[in-house]
Amino acid sequence: MRVGESVVGVETRAAVVLTYDDGPTPGITDRLLATLDEHHATATFFALLTRVRRDPGLLREVLAAGHEVGLHGLDHRRLTTTPRHALRGWVRDGRRELEDVTARPVRWFRAPYGAQSRASWRAAVAEGMVPVHWSVVCRDWLTLPLDDHLAEVRGRPLAGEVVLLHDGFADATDGSYDGRRPELDRPALTRSVLREAASQGLVGSSLGAAASGAALRTGTRLSPEAGLRARVRRALGSMGGRPR
C-alpha cells in the first residue's frame, strides 16, 4: 500500500461488504444481528472501546454470530486533531484492548469519521493494521426517508463495494458530539440494502470473508490535518469565502 491508501472494495462478483461503525449498542446491534442472520449475511463491525467497555458481552455476541470485528478507536475523536506523537499509542492501545475482549487478532482499522491524515495512516500501518474506508454511504447519521438512505445503493453495481452503515451514534461519552441522534429503523435499512444486493445475485459479507481468495481494491483517502484546515480557512476568509 502507498501512503494514505485504504481498502475501498474487494475484487469479487459474489458479495457486497457490509460494515457498521460506532457500536456496539444494546437495542441496535442485537437487532441487526437478527436481521443479518435472517438473510444469511455477515458483516464487519468497527467497534469503539468506549462502547465495548459498557457491554463487552454484546461484542462477543457479534463474534459468536459469525461476524468480524475491526477497530474504530479508543473513542470517537478525530485523529486529524490528535497530536502526532500520540497517534501510534492511541491505535496500539485500542487494538490491544479490543483483542483482549475478542481473544482474536484484529486486522482492520477505520478512523473515526473516516478522517485520516498521513500521520494517522502511518500509525495504523506501523501497528500492523489495514486502514479501511468505504465506497457506498447510506447517510444513516441523518434522519431521512428510507429512499434517501438508499440513494447510493440503488441503481449501481454493488459487487465488491464496501457499504458504510452504523450500529450506534457517537456522542459526548465517546469524545464527540454531532447533534441529536437520528431517527431511523436501522434493521429495516439493512434489510433494504440486502434485498438490493440479492437482486444482483450478491450476498452480504464481512470484509475478511469477501477478501478470502480475492484481491483488495484500494484508494487514497486522506483528510487535511488540523493545522492545514486552519490555514485553508484563513486563506478562504481573506478571499471572502469559507469552507463547506
Side-chain angles (χ1 to χ4, degrees), residues 66-176:
H67 305 288
E68 180 179 48
V69 170
L71 175 64
H72 201 31
L74 283 170
D75 52 38
H76 205 265
R77 287 176 289 183
R78 288 182 185 272
L79 296 188
T80 49
T81 63
T82 301
R84 291 191 181 197
H85 70 271
L87 287 169
R88 187 164 178 177
W90 189 93
V91 175
R92 180 191 306 121
D93 292 348
R95 183 182 189 182
R96 286 177 179 173
E97 188 173 347
L98 193 56
E99 289 182 340
D100 284 345
V101 175
T102 61
R104 63 185 69 185
V106 176
R107 177 185 182 188
W108 313 114
F109 171 70
R110 176 179 283 160
Y113 301 103
Q116 181 172 262
S117 65
R118 283 179 172 80
S120 64
W121 184 92
R122 287 191 173 100
V125 171
E127 289 302 318
M129 306 207 75
V130 179
V132 178
H133 205 70
W134 55 79
S135 54
V136 177
V137 299
C138 293
R139 296 190 295 164
D140 59 343
W141 57 89
L142 300 172
T143 300
L144 298 170
L146 181 59
D147 284 347
D148 289 351
H149 285 301
L150 295 168
E152 285 198 24
V153 175
R154 289 176 171 160
R156 63 174 289 173
L158 292 173
E161 301 299 324
V162 177
V163 181
L164 172 65
L165 294 158
H166 292 77
D167 64 326
F169 186 72
D171 57 30
T173 64
D174 305 300
S176 63

Side-chain angles (χ1 to χ4, degrees), residues 7-10 12 15-22 32 36 41-46 68 72 110 132-141 146 148-167 184 186-198 200 202-208 210 217 221:
V7 174
V8 295
V10 181
T12 176
V16 61
V17 177
L18 303 181
T19 65
Y20 294 87
D21 289 6
D22 297 357
L32 287 169
L36 292 166
T42 58
T44 301
F45 288 79
F46 286 94
E68 180 179 48
H72 201 31
R110 176 179 283 160
V132 178
H133 205 70
W134 55 79
S135 54
V136 177
V137 299
C138 293
R139 296 190 295 164
D140 59 343
W141 57 89
L146 181 59
D148 289 351
H149 285 301
L150 295 168
E152 285 198 24
V153 175
R154 289 176 171 160
R156 63 174 289 173
L158 292 173
E161 301 299 324
V162 177
V163 181
L164 172 65
L165 294 158
H166 292 77
D167 64 326
L184 74 153
R186 295 186 186 278
L189 176 57
T190 287
R191 275 188 214 99
S192 296
V193 172
L194 287 169
R195 286 174 186 144
E196 186 66 30
Q200 299 182 27
L202 306 172
V203 298
S205 174
S206 66
L207 180 55
R217 292 204 314 262
R221 297 292 186 272

